[in-house]
Amino acid sequence: MFEFLRCYIIYLALLSGIVGLLSLNKLPGKKAKSMVVLIWFAVLTELVGYYFTSWTGLLNYYVYNFYMFVSFSAYILLLRSLLLNYNYKKAATLFLILFIFSFFLNFLYFKDNNNKAFIYSFAIGVLLVMILSCLYLVEIFNSEKVLKFKKSVFFWYILGILVFHVPFLPFMLAINWFLILHDESIFSLVLFILNLLSHCCFIIGFIWSEKKYNY
């Protein structure tokens, strides 16, 4: 019933990617511009993922596993660059190493089941990003930045990441661990709604942010 919604996810990414390009003048450094690059990388992934099976005859888990590896690594690096506390930065570096190690360990261990490799690596990535995001938010709310946090594109981008990944993780684990029936219609609906909320956060950030808060 809702399977068709999954096809529209790429348009959400396209919209936020275009808004990001139009807002480049407010994104002064590589750190800020990297968010736009990641959104366009998501667009490319959705496009390749859609046609991958017809092109190769293989399941598109390979595409999304690669996307997950790149995106979570980028999220951790972005959060590391945003954190001010030295110990938090050190933790972010360790988290990146942990994620990379766990990704390849999962991939090797579950090499005959790439779907499981995706789920466990995804879970680890989400947990690590959640921890770093909480540290980032704690720093914001304990500093003068709290007065203008809504003017920072980074806040909205991190919020968008959390809005998608935090609810999606238990949904994925429920399907995997509790053997809940994988209904493609429900899956597509959940995926679309979470992507919609996430990209809305990105777009708000690009439009609402001010250049002086995006360094």
Side-chain angles (χ1 to χ4, degrees):
M1 184 177 179
F2 297 109
E3 292 89 343
F4 70 95
L5 287 175
R6 196 164 182 178
C7 300
Y8 289 96
I9 291 173
I10 190 171
Y11 297 110
L12 296 175
L14 270 171
L15 178 60
S16 61
I18 290 170
V19 175
L21 288 177
L22 295 174
S23 305
L24 282 177
N25 63 309
K26 294 196 292 185
L27 308 175
K30 292 180 181 179
K31 183 168 59 177
K33 288 181 173 64
S34 68
M35 296 182 294
V36 180
V37 173
L38 283 172
I39 291 172
W40 281 101
F41 180 58
V43 173
L44 179 63
T45 301
E46 287 294 334
L47 188 63
V48 173
Y50 185 79
Y51 292 105
F52 186 77
T53 301
S54 60
W55 288 343
T56 65
L58 301 171
L59 293 175
N60 59 12
Y61 290 133
Y62 297 99
V63 176
Y64 291 106
N65 276 330
F66 178 71
Y67 171 74
M68 179 190 60
F69 174 73
V70 173
S71 60
F72 275 112
S73 298
Y75 296 156
I76 293 171
L77 286 171
L78 175 63
L79 283 160
R80 184 187 182 280
S81 69
L82 294 173
L83 292 167
L84 301 176
N85 185 289
Y86 174 76
N87 290 327
Y88 293 169
K89 283 181 174 289
K90 196 173 179 180
T93 302
L94 293 174
F95 282 4
L96 179 61
I97 295 170
L98 175 61
F99 174 71
I100 293 172
F101 177 75
S102 65
F103 178 86
F104 285 105
L105 188 65
N106 282 331
F107 205 74
L108 290 172
Y109 187 74
F110 295 109
K111 60 184 177 181
D112 296 325
N113 190 338
N114 288 308
N115 187 30
K116 278 198 172 182
F118 170 80
I119 291 171
Y120 290 124
S121 299
F122 180 81
I124 292 168
V126 171
L127 290 174
L128 296 178
V129 168
M130 278 177 59
I131 293 170
L132 292 176
S133 298
C134 288
L135 294 176
Y136 167 68
L137 293 174
V138 166
E139 282 195 343
I140 285 180
F141 293 121
N142 285 333
S143 69
E144 293 181 356
K145 292 180 181 179
V146 69
L147 301 174
K148 296 289 184 179
F149 71 93
K150 289 186 288 187
K151 296 294 184 180
S152 169
V153 72
F154 300 115
F155 168 78
W156 288 103
Y157 189 78
I158 299 302
L159 182 63
I161 291 172
L162 294 176
V163 161
F164 176 83
H165 291 90
V166 173
F168 192 60
L169 176 59
F171 179 72
M172 288 289 290
L173 293 179
I175 292 174
N176 186 59
W177 288 353
F178 302 110
L179 302 178
I180 294 174
L181 181 64
H182 184 110
D183 187 320
E184 191 62 34
S185 179
I186 299 299
F187 185 81
S188 297
L189 177 62
V190 170
L191 205 58
F192 178 80
I193 291 173
L194 293 180
N195 269 282
L196 176 63
L197 294 173
S198 180
H199 286 290
C200 281
C201 289
F202 298 159
I203 291 170
I204 291 171
F206 290 137
I207 294 173
W208 204 349
S209 68
E210 295 180 10
K211 185 175 181 178
K212 61 182 177 180
Y213 299 111
N214 292 339
Y215 284 92

